[in-house]
Amino acid sequence: MNLHKQPFGLLRKPSFDRAFLVSLLMWAAIATPVPAQAPRQSAVLQAPTTRPADGDGYLLGAGDRVRIDVFNVQEFSGEYQVLPNGSINLPLIGAVKVQGRTLEQAQNAIAARYRNVLQQPVITVSLIAPRPIRVAVSGEVNRPGTYTVPALSSDGNVPSLSRTIQLAEGVTQAADLRQVEIRRLRPVGQGVNEVIKVDLWDLLRGGNLQQDIRLQDGDSVIIPATAMVNLQEAQQLAAANFAARNNRPLKITVVGEVNRPGPYTLLEGAVGQRDQLINPNLLQVPSVTRAIQVAGGITQLADIRNVRVRRITRLGPPQVIQLDFWKLLKEGDVLQDLPLQDGDTVEIATATAPNDAELTDLATASFSPDRITVNIAGEVERPGAISLQPNTPLNQAILAAGGFNRDAIKKSVTLVRLNPNGTVTKREVPVNFEQGLSTGGNPGLRNNDIIIVRKSGLSNFLERTGQILGPFTGLINLFRLFTP
């Protein structure tokens, strides 16, 4: 038989040229076939990791397209696709199982099968088109579940951890980024599955790209809940590109010392012009101050040093985050204005001993009501309830009611105030329209204050005289009517 007319090694002839075989084996040892159209898998999918990789690390699966080269047998070489059952159909040897194998393992498996028909088969397997991978994301993300990620996106990016978290609509504010786990399937025959620990804070703050691990088919990403919320880190997390995007309403609840407690839906950008000037971050991340604003603002009984946020976690007990809004008001500590997430409950405690000076400062805070209601009774042009801005001076309230009428006592008025502790105070306040805001002569008003403007003594005398002489005056006028 002519050896040159048969595929290499189909016959195991004893008289085979030993020198030619040695030369062929040396060539196979030093030669590395390079595909003409597509790069090898290691060049396409390789990404930095925090551990040594086992070979190229890529596991073949249904949908992968590979190039198989059988040295010196062009009839057997070509492009093949891994079938849904995880095998590849090859000439002469039929189906070879490659599901869950690396490229090197697949080469060895195919070579082992070809040894039945070829002498010293030299096999090279290259990945041409990787299949989309399926990964599971659970824990503190907004949409946990299974996701299909392209192995190579149109912009040339590989399926990294951060991009996959973005597909799950970002991490929640309760996430512990230092304890992220990736549970990975090991190649066939290489033991139990492995767990890779990832510190995303090192990526976020230090720019360590090794933490942004390239994911593989079958990976499971678990993001646990943190045991304690760091206010500074909460602000940084809210601005991260893998945090939740506020493109949907947040359902929250506000209870305690607010004017309208209950459940609310926070919409992005739904803030007033004053709030934008005080805290521009309100346009980006719904925060505690916005929640209090939509609930009508705090009451006079609110203890702003004791504000709590109760947060439900997916993996762990609920979190209780303590805030001090007095630091926000007096020290400008914006870290106290915690970003909120869906399902949060904001609790405003009741103050045990309210301070008058603090109440005056609180009246103009962004989380206080925008308007107060003051009742003016007695001798003004338009008595009744009027709406004013917090801390409006008493003089301005009188003018808003039309000012004194002609029967009013213009030297002083009576101010009746309901205090937060339940008591009522009543005092006389001198009126001087030329005086500015002051505690004694022209105090700032609070919600539900009552201003009483009394009638002058002369007006009272004339009114009483008219009541007494009323019948006689009527008879005199009647007599004059019938007298010629």
Side-chain angles (χ1 to χ4, degrees):
M1 179 180 294
N2 188 352
L3 180 63
H4 297 288
K5 294 183 180 180
Q6 299 293 331
F8 171 70
L10 283 178
L11 294 180
R12 302 169 178 257
K13 293 181 62 175
S15 60
F16 190 84
D17 190 344
R18 181 182 182 87
F20 176 75
L21 178 60
V22 172
S23 300
L24 180 62
L25 294 177
M26 292 177 62
W27 166 259
I30 63 175
T32 302
V34 179
Q37 297 180 350
R40 292 185 61 84
Q41 179 271 340
S42 59
V44 174
L45 295 179
Q46 185 64 35
T49 63
T50 56
R51 58 175 185 83
D54 297 325
D56 51 31
Y58 186 79
L59 303 182
L60 292 172
D64 282 332
R65 191 162 187 83
V66 297
R67 169 79 185 182
I68 300 179
D69 290 304
V70 183
F71 179 72
N72 208 30
V73 187
Q74 296 299 324
E75 294 86 350
F76 294 174
S77 302
E79 294 184 3
Y80 300 88
Q81 187 165 1
V82 182
L83 300 177
N85 63 0
S87 65
I88 299 177
N89 282 329
L90 298 174
L92 292 183
I93 62 174
V96 179
K97 193 75 171 181
V98 296
Q99 176 80 30
R101 299 180 186 273
T102 64
L103 296 179
E104 183 179 356
Q105 290 175 332
Q107 291 176 174
N108 296 334
I110 296 172
R113 293 286 298 274
Y114 267 122
R115 288 192 184 98
N116 296 326
V117 294
L118 297 175
Q119 289 184 352
Q120 299 296 332
V122 180
I123 310 296
T124 302
V125 180
S126 303
L127 184 65
I128 295 177
R131 71 193 183 280
I133 68 172
R134 286 174 60 84
V135 297
V137 185
S138 62
E140 296 303 326
V141 291
N142 284 281
R143 296 197 66 182
T146 304
Y147 292 88
T148 300
V149 187
L152 189 65
S153 62
S154 58
D155 55 3
N157 291 320
V158 296
S160 63
L161 175 60
S162 62
R163 293 183 65 240
T164 306
I165 292 176
Q166 290 173 354
L167 291 179
E169 297 193 4
V171 297
T172 68
Q173 290 290 319
D176 185 357
L177 299 185
R178 292 181 174 85
Q179 301 295 329
V180 178
E181 289 186 359
I182 299 176
R183 298 178 182 176
R184 175 163 294 171
L185 299 175
R186 299 280 290 185
V188 174
Q190 293 192 14
V192 298
N193 298 338
E194 62 179 329
V195 177
I196 306 172
K197 295 285 188 178
V198 180
D199 185 357
L200 283 180
W201 269 117
D202 195 15
L203 169 65
L204 184 61
R205 304 182 68 176
N208 185 2
L209 290 177
Q210 289 187 342
Q211 303 299 327
D212 197 12
I213 289 181
R214 171 177 61 91
L215 297 183
Q216 298 180 5
D217 192 36
D219 281 352
S220 296
V221 179
I222 298 95
I223 303 178
T226 182
M228 181 176 297
V229 175
N230 184 298
L231 297 181
Q232 183 175 3
E233 292 182 353
Q235 297 285 347
Q236 296 176 359
L237 176 58
N241 69 337
F242 50 80
R245 299 298 95 195
N246 301 308
N247 54 3
R248 59 179 180 177
L250 298 183
K251 296 181 179 179
I252 55 95
T253 303
V254 186
V255 297
E257 295 300 332
V258 290
N259 286 289
R260 296 189 301 273
Y264 289 92
T265 299
L266 297 185
L267 301 176
E268 185 179 7
V271 295
Q273 182 177 5
R274 184 187 73 165
D275 304 322
Q276 297 179 26
L277 295 175
I278 295 175
N279 190 354
N281 290 330
L282 290 176
L283 290 175
Q284 302 173 2
V285 181
S287 60
V288 177
T289 54
R290 194 197 299 188
I292 296 175
Q293 287 168 352
V294 298
I298 60 174
T299 68
Q300 294 185 16
L301 292 174
D303 183 3
I304 65 169
R305 292 182 174 85
N306 191 12
V307 179
R308 291 185 296 269
V309 175
R310 295 189 178 272
R311 177 167 292 168
I312 299 175
T313 62
R314 299 184 186 275
L315 297 177
Q319 297 175 346
V320 179
I321 308 166
Q322 193 73 31
L323 304 174
D324 185 351
F325 268 34
W326 189 251
K327 291 183 179 180
L328 173 64
L329 182 62
K330 303 303 290 185
E331 301 175 14
D333 186 2
V334 296
L335 298 181
Q336 303 297 324
D337 193 13
L338 182 73
L340 294 177
Q341 71 177 39
D342 194 47
D344 280 352
T345 299
V346 179
E347 301 177 354
I348 312 296
T350 303
T352 56
N355 184 287
D356 286 343
E358 291 184 359
L359 290 175
T360 301
D361 292 337
L362 286 177
T364 55
S366 63
F367 44 83
S368 292
D370 291 335
R371 308 289 292 182
I372 63 174
T373 300
V374 175
N375 293 278
I376 301 183
E379 304 305 318
V380 290
E381 296 293 337
R382 295 187 299 273
I386 58 175
S387 177
L388 303 169
Q389 292 183 349
N391 280 343
T392 297
L394 181 142
N395 289 348
Q396 187 174 338
I398 296 174
L399 295 176
F404 296 124
N405 62 24
R406 63 179 182 178
D407 297 330
I409 296 179
K410 300 178 177 60
K411 292 183 178 181
S412 65
V413 296
T414 303
L415 176 62
V416 179
R417 172 166 294 170
L418 177 63
N419 298 311
N421 58 8
T423 62
V424 177
T425 58
K426 177 181 178 182
R427 65 187 179 105
E428 294 296 316
V429 180
V431 176
N432 181 3
F433 289 106
E434 296 181 356
Q435 183 178 6
L437 181 66
S438 67
T439 304
N442 190 20
L445 298 178
R446 299 178 188 169
N447 193 41
N448 295 325
D449 278 350
I450 301 175
I451 301 173
I452 302 175
V453 181
R454 297 186 307 276
K455 183 177 294 187
S456 66
L458 178 60
S459 298
N460 284 330
F461 172 77
L462 294 177
E463 182 178 349
R464 293 175 182 176
T465 303
Q467 292 174 354
I468 296 173
L469 299 179
F472 298 100
T473 304
L475 290 175
I476 294 173
N477 292 334
L478 181 64
F479 176 76
R480 290 178 178 176
L481 180 63
F482 291 99
T483 302

